[in-house]
Amino acid sequence: MGSAGSAGSVSSADGAEPVLVYREGRAGHIVLNRPRALNALTHPMVRRIDAALDAFERDPDVAVVVLSGAGERGLCAGGDIRAIHEDARGDRTASPAFWRDEYRLNARVARCPKPYVALMDGIVMGGGIGVSAHGRFRVVTERSTLAMPETGIGFAPDVGGSLLLARAPGELGTHLALTASTADAGDALYCGLADHLVPTERLADFAKALADGVVEEAVERYAAPAPPSGLARHREWIDHCYAADTVEEILARLRAHPASPCPDSAADSTTGSGANSAGNGVGSGAGAERELGPAMAARSIEGKSPTGLKVALAQLRAARRLGALEPVLEREFRASCAALSSWDLVEGIRAQVIDKDRAPRWSPATLEEVSEERVAAYFAPPAGGDPRLGTPPTAP
């Protein structure tokens, strides 16, 4: 493939090609190109990325694969949840097909035989984590905002996110999953969601330097020291409270913890989970509640889907036991397919993205009403069977 220009010169206007693929020197570039939708992933985009990886892995002149996003706002806000909402209200066939191929792609990124560099500048959420955070070199900037905010829409972390969160120090991943909180660059590096910080003003030069095909040299030249992590300062109460076996007990510990309660004036920034400005994903205010402590964390959790919370906790605990990406993705696929038939997913997307009234009516409405049997049903094999993660994506 011939070069189509540098990574720093990608057009910021949505065009006919939602994924741009080109070579620059020894670097093969994949650019998510839906900036008006914050580069939200669609099924054709997943297929295009997979085809690009096929080409780059076979090409002896390509030494490194580079993933980036067009526009100034972020790498990727996640999957196109408006499309998922439409499918959940319809015949429910498009989303499982999308997830099969998306999760296969996530697994493929993790086993890419060539260095895979993800430029995680700006907003990176949900499906954006899946195509970036399983790579070998994960680069954030001071503008980065990462999240797995699925509990805010009646869903649970997927795309291998439950394994990434389970591997975070202590119970930080559980906190991020249940509160749907965001992680800034310092937190992402501390939690193991990223590897290096490259300041925004150096990012284009860093991408150009990858044309030489030697990632380590580019990192050494352009990376900066990791900033401090706000979450790290709160490990004591986070590890204690979130080590509990149930969401109910986690909430009880958060409410009872002696740390100072947060002021009511800060509540609006962290209660619930707001849709991002592209309307394709959800997340709470960057870092606010972790500065406010356990009381605010409890209030944030109380606004999430009770079913989504219990499924998320079960998935994180299972991911910790399994310890490998592919079996975790299979469990996540089961949970995603089950959620597609649930009231909460449709209602959560409606409240956060469609109507934006931020007032979801969950059913069941309380944690106590979500039985162990209901949670277990989310992990039963789906009607179409488990995804075969080593197989190529389905034909259009």
Side-chain angles (χ1 to χ4, degrees):
M1 298 178 197
S3 172
S6 71
S9 61
V10 173
S11 170
S12 62
D14 286 355
E17 294 294 332
V19 177
L20 306 179
V21 179
Y22 62 90
R23 278 251 322 273
E24 186 172 74
R26 302 206 67 199
H29 287 266
I30 300 171
V31 184
L32 308 182
N33 190 39
R34 295 183 67 210
R36 293 175 185 168
L38 232 167
N39 299 319
L41 291 174
T42 64
H43 203 163
M45 292 172 71
V46 167
R47 295 192 186 104
R48 178 63 169 149
I49 296 167
D50 188 78
L53 288 176
D54 274 341
F56 289 150
E57 289 176 11
R58 292 194 304 263
D59 189 342
D61 293 326
V62 172
V64 57
V65 178
V66 185
L67 177 77
S68 61
E72 301 298 322
R73 297 162 62 200
L75 172 66
C76 177
D80 189 341
I81 62 174
R82 288 179 179 268
I84 293 172
H85 183 263
E86 292 176 6
D87 188 45
R89 299 178 65 193
D91 63 10
R92 300 169 184 161
T93 59
S95 296
F98 167 66
W99 288 324
R100 282 180 186 275
D101 287 346
E102 183 185 25
Y103 298 177
R104 287 169 182 158
L105 177 62
N106 301 150
R108 181 172 189 171
V109 167
R111 61 174 182 261
C112 183
K114 296 182 178 181
Y116 185 100
V117 181
L119 306 184
M120 303 168 73
D121 184 34
I123 293 172
V124 189
M125 294 184 178
I129 296 287
V131 295
S132 61
H134 299 301
R136 199 182 309 178
F137 294 90
R138 303 160 305 170
V139 177
V140 291
T141 73
E142 73 282 359
R143 301 186 329 121
S144 295
T145 299
L146 279 62
M148 294 299 298
E150 290 78 7
T151 55
I153 56 167
F155 207 52
D158 67 335
V159 299
S162 57
L163 180 63
L164 294 167
L165 294 173
R167 288 173 171 170
E171 295 293 339
L172 296 182
T174 310
H175 168 75
L176 290 171
L178 299 189
T179 60
S181 296
T182 57
D184 61 17
D187 291 334
L189 291 161
Y190 184 77
C191 290
L193 302 174
D195 304 301
H196 306 285
L197 173 78
V198 173
T200 303
E201 66 269 15
R202 301 182 196 171
L203 195 62
D205 290 337
F206 172 75
K208 290 178 182 178
L210 295 173
D212 293 336
V214 184
V215 181
E216 291 84 357
E217 290 181 2
V219 168
E220 183 176 356
R221 181 175 180 183
Y222 292 102
S229 164
L231 279 175
R233 300 197 300 270
H234 297 277
R235 280 285 304 277
E236 185 276 327
W237 66 264
I238 288 175
D239 288 355
H240 167 72
C241 295
Y242 289 94
D245 293 330
T246 67
V247 180
E248 291 93 331
E249 178 59 24
I250 288 172
L251 278 171
R253 292 187 184 186
L254 288 169
R255 292 167 182 149
H257 198 277
S260 299
C262 63
D264 290 341
S265 60
D268 288 345
S269 66
T270 56
T271 301
S273 194
N276 68 46
S277 55
N280 296 295
V282 295
S284 54
E289 57 76 25
R290 63 177 171 265
E291 296 298 332
L292 297 168
M296 195 65 235
R299 291 181 62 180
S300 179
I301 292 171
E302 289 164 355
K304 306 301 185 291
S305 160
T307 302
L309 289 168
K310 288 200 171 184
V311 172
L313 183 62
Q315 181 62 356
L316 260 69
R317 298 299 189 247
R320 186 174 290 170
R321 294 192 302 270
L322 291 168
L325 179 59
E326 294 195 3
V328 168
L329 284 167
E330 290 178 356
R331 278 183 61 90
E332 291 176 343
F333 179 78
R334 294 180 176 190
S336 296
C337 291
L340 192 65
S341 300
S342 72
W343 164 268
D344 277 9
L345 180 61
V346 173
E347 173 63 7
I349 297 175
R350 180 208 64 77
Q352 303 293 359
V353 178
I354 306 299
D355 297 337
K356 300 183 180 180
D357 58 26
R358 310 292 191 263
R361 298 180 294 276
W362 306 121
S363 180
T366 67
L367 290 166
E368 291 71 23
E369 295 175 88
V370 181
S371 66
E372 292 182 4
E373 293 75 17
R374 177 183 285 269
V375 174
Y378 271 70
F379 301 106
D386 289 323
R388 291 171 292 177
L389 297 175
T391 60
T394 56

